[in-house]
């Protein structure tokens, strides 16, 4: 079927000369005007149906009669203000809109001004059965004191803190007591910080002083680093530091040689960490491996003439003389993969510590350690100085003895707490990738340091 050409629109008169026309005329008989060139007259509605159908007839709804502001007599008199609630409107179809003041639904324009503050309702005598208990305003409520042995939430000030460190009322996580710790004695100070990357502090320390049988002072510092890959490393470090410190305080006044006392203290620390492990299961090839709590340990005992160091793992002790023209020294050797490679002559120190396996420890305190080998060393320094006892959270940012001496303040022997704070700050400024703990002990031990603490 052939398509049809559009037919010209029939006209009654010629658009050019107004001569009457017949329906079949294609040209005006009077003036010869081409009637096929006449455009289609515009329709009343601008909308045209896509399928060629006639458009919808125009709406018969009358136009909206918008209100007009009245004339004002004087230019000094302001025009009246028309509020939305005063004007009666209509919709697009001309239907009258409901008056806001007479309708409860929809938006209210005549609503009274809202108060800036809402007073809290007084607590009810008692909630009805099945009803929720209203929460008291923590700013004004007279909160009852928490039961003995419980902590109060720092956020809502009304809930008790559970054993996991969360509020039982609002669920807010509480700041941990060990996130940052400082302790100062007259002859030793220590600082421990969670660092910038870890969610908790798994380090621990213990510092104290006592007297030897002859009345001379003995100052003690123990620093422990929990092994993060083990279970409950924070408990392991805390138990080990406390056990070692208590062992030394018991042995030194009895006249035990400080080096022997340090050896026994490390064994006592190991026993305390072993006790944290879960009970062993019956031997079974299908039984899962027990991941026991574990930590490293480094300790120092300073007397008027002797310096004793003991360690297991990769926590370290450094000697920094007061006279910086004298060389500093590292007093410990790591129980680590890198140290073993260097000791065996397979790598130099730079190559070994650049390896990704460098910090894998080969010795630690814990029920799953291969064999406990406490390391102890005795020194007789010939000049005054300070002993820096620290975890790898610090020495990672000052590994060489010379570098450690550069960051130890010159007045460290007079201000050990300030020096410990500076060293922790140095690690945090360097990135704080690990927990940071450091103790600073002046040598020789001052006589006023005697006395248990």
């Amino acid at each position: 079927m052939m398509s049809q050409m559009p037919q010209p629109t029939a006209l009654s008169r010629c658009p050019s000369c107004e001569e009457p026309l017949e329906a079949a005329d294609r040209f005006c008989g009077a003036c010869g005007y081409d009637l096929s060139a006449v455009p289609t007259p515009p329709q009343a509605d601008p909308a045209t149906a896509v399928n060629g159908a006639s458009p919808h007839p125009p709406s018969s709804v009358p136009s909206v009669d918008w209100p007009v502001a009245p004339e004002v007599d004087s230019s000094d008199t302001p025009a009246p203000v028309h509020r939305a609630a005063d004007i009666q409107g209509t919709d697009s179809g001309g239907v009258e809109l409901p008056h806001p003041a007479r309708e409860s639904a929809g938006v209210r324009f005549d609503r009274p001004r809202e108060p800036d503050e809402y007073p809290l309702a007084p607590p009810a005598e008692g909630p009805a059965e099945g009803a929720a208990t209203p929460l008291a305003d923590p700013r004004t409520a007279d909160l009852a004191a928490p039961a003995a042995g419980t902590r109060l939430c720092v956020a809502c000030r009304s809930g008790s803190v559970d054993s996991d460190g969360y509020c039982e009322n609002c669920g807010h996580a509480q700041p941990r007591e060990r996130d940052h710790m400082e302790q100062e004695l007259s002859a030793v100070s220590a600082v421990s910080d969670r660092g910038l990357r870890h969610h908790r502090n798994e380090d621990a320390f213990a510092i104290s002083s006592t007297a030897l049988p002859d009345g001379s002072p003995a100052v003690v510092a123990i620093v422990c680093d929990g092994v993060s890959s083990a279970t409950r490393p924070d408990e392991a470090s805390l138990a080990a530091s406390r056990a070692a410190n208590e062992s030394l305080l018991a042995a030194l006044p009895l006249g035990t040689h400080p080096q022997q006392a340090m050896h026994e203290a490390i064994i006592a620390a190991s026993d305390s960490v072993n006790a944290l492990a879960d009970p062993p299961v019956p031997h079974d090839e299908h039984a899962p491996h027990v991941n026991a709590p574990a930590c490293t340990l480094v300790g120092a005992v300073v007397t008027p003439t002797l310096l004793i160091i003991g360690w297991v793992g990769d926590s370290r002790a450094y000697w920094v003389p007061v006279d910086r023209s004298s060389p500093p020294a590292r007093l410990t050797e790591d129980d680590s993969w890198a140290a073993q490679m260097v000791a065996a002559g397979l790598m130099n120190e730079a190559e070994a510590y650049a390896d990704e396996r460098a910090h894998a420890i080969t010795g630690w305190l814990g029920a799953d350690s291969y064999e406990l080998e406490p390391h102890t060393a005795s020194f007789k320094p010939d000049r005054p100085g300070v002993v820096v006892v620290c975890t790898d959270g610090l020495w990672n940012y000052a590994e060489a003895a010379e570098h450690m001496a550069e960051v130890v303040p010159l007045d460290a022997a007079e201000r050990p707490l300030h020096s410990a704070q500076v060293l922790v700050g140095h690690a945090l400024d360097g990135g704080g990738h690990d927990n940071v703990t450091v103790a600073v002990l002046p040598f020789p031990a001052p006589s006023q340091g005697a006395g248990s603490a």
Side-chain angles (χ1 to χ4, degrees):
M1 179 177 178
M2 298 179 63
S3 60
Q4 297 179 346
M5 297 293 291
Q7 299 297 319
T9 305
L11 299 174
S12 59
R13 291 181 179 277
C14 174
S16 177
C17 64
E18 295 294 321
E19 180 72 17
L21 302 174
E22 298 292 335
D25 289 343
R26 300 185 63 183
F27 296 93
C28 177
C31 67
Y33 188 86
D34 185 1
L35 300 176
S36 64
V38 179
T40 303
Q43 301 177 9
D45 193 333
T48 304
V50 176
N51 59 3
S54 299
H56 296 292
S59 172
S60 60
V61 178
S63 61
V64 178
D65 185 16
W66 296 105
V68 179
E71 296 284 342
V72 291
D73 298 333
S74 172
S75 60
D76 296 333
T77 303
V81 177
H82 291 273
R83 298 182 302 167
D86 299 333
I87 301 175
Q88 181 60 44
T90 60
D91 62 15
S92 59
V95 179
E96 182 177 310
L97 293 173
H99 196 283
R102 297 194 301 264
E103 297 291 333
S104 60
V107 179
R108 291 287 302 266
F109 294 98
D110 60 341
R111 181 169 300 177
R113 182 176 180 272
E114 299 285 352
D116 294 331
E117 294 185 359
Y118 293 88
L120 293 173
E125 293 295 333
E129 185 176 356
T133 303
L135 294 177
D137 181 8
R139 300 168 298 177
T140 59
D142 185 13
L143 301 175
T150 61
R151 293 166 52 200
L152 196 63
C153 174
V154 299
C156 70
R157 305 300 300 170
S158 60
S160 299
V161 179
D162 62 20
S163 58
D164 294 329
Y166 292 87
C167 176
E168 295 176 343
N169 178 49
C170 67
H172 189 90
Q174 306 299 299
R176 292 181 173 90
E177 187 177 348
R178 290 172 61 179
D179 281 356
H180 185 87
M181 300 177 292
E182 297 186 1
Q183 187 177 357
E184 180 182 24
L185 301 179
S186 59
V188 58
S189 295
V191 176
S192 181
D193 192 89
R194 178 170 58 93
L196 304 179
R197 302 296 180 90
H198 283 229
H199 71 284
R200 65 179 176 184
N201 190 357
E202 297 170 355
D203 289 356
F205 68 82
I207 58 174
S208 60
S209 62
T210 186
L212 300 177
D214 62 359
S216 60
V219 182
V220 175
I222 303 293
V223 168
C224 296
D225 184 356
V227 178
S228 296
S229 58
T231 183
R232 297 165 16 233
D234 53 331
E235 296 181 28
S237 62
L238 185 61
S241 61
R242 288 177 174 176
N245 182 65
E246 292 170 1
S247 177
L248 286 166
L249 290 181
L252 292 173
L254 298 178
T256 306
H257 190 280
Q259 190 168 357
Q260 178 63 29
M262 178 64 75
H263 180 92
E264 294 174 357
I266 295 175
I267 294 176
S270 177
D271 292 341
S272 70
V273 177
N274 293 347
L276 298 175
D278 295 329
V281 297
H283 179 70
D284 186 348
E285 62 180 357
H286 299 293
H289 174 67
V290 177
N291 187 4
C295 69
T296 66
L297 180 147
V298 62
V301 175
V302 172
T303 73
T305 58
L306 284 178
L307 167 59
I308 308 299
I309 303 295
W311 74 96
V312 174
D314 62 348
S315 293
R316 293 181 176 179
Y318 291 84
W319 165 256
V320 179
V322 171
D323 180 5
R324 298 303 171 87
S325 63
S326 301
R330 196 176 93 193
L331 306 178
T332 57
E333 291 292 337
D334 298 343
D335 287 323
S336 68
W337 180 91
Q340 284 190 343
M341 294 298 103
V342 174
L346 300 176
M347 290 183 177
N348 62 39
E349 190 164 325
E351 293 171 339
Y353 281 98
D355 193 282
E356 61 182 6
R357 297 165 290 182
H359 291 280
I361 58 175
T362 58
W364 62 89
L365 305 181
D368 57 355
S369 61
Y370 302 119
E371 183 178 357
L372 178 61
E373 294 183 5
H375 309 290
T376 61
S378 179
F379 303 91
K380 282 189 175 183
D382 60 353
R383 64 201 66 198
V386 293
V387 183
V388 176
V389 182
C390 63
T391 61
D392 60 348
L394 171 60
W395 67 253
N396 277 331
Y397 301 99
E399 185 170 347
E402 292 75 17
H403 190 184
M404 183 65 72
E406 291 175 0
V407 295
V408 172
L410 296 176
D411 59 352
E414 288 77 30
R415 303 172 65 193
L417 177 60
H418 172 259
S419 299
Q421 294 168 337
V422 168
L423 292 172
V424 169
H426 174 76
L428 298 180
D429 291 343
H433 286 72
D434 201 353
N435 307 143
V436 190
T437 302
V438 57
V440 177
L441 304 89
F443 177 89
S447 59
Q448 63 266 29
S452 178

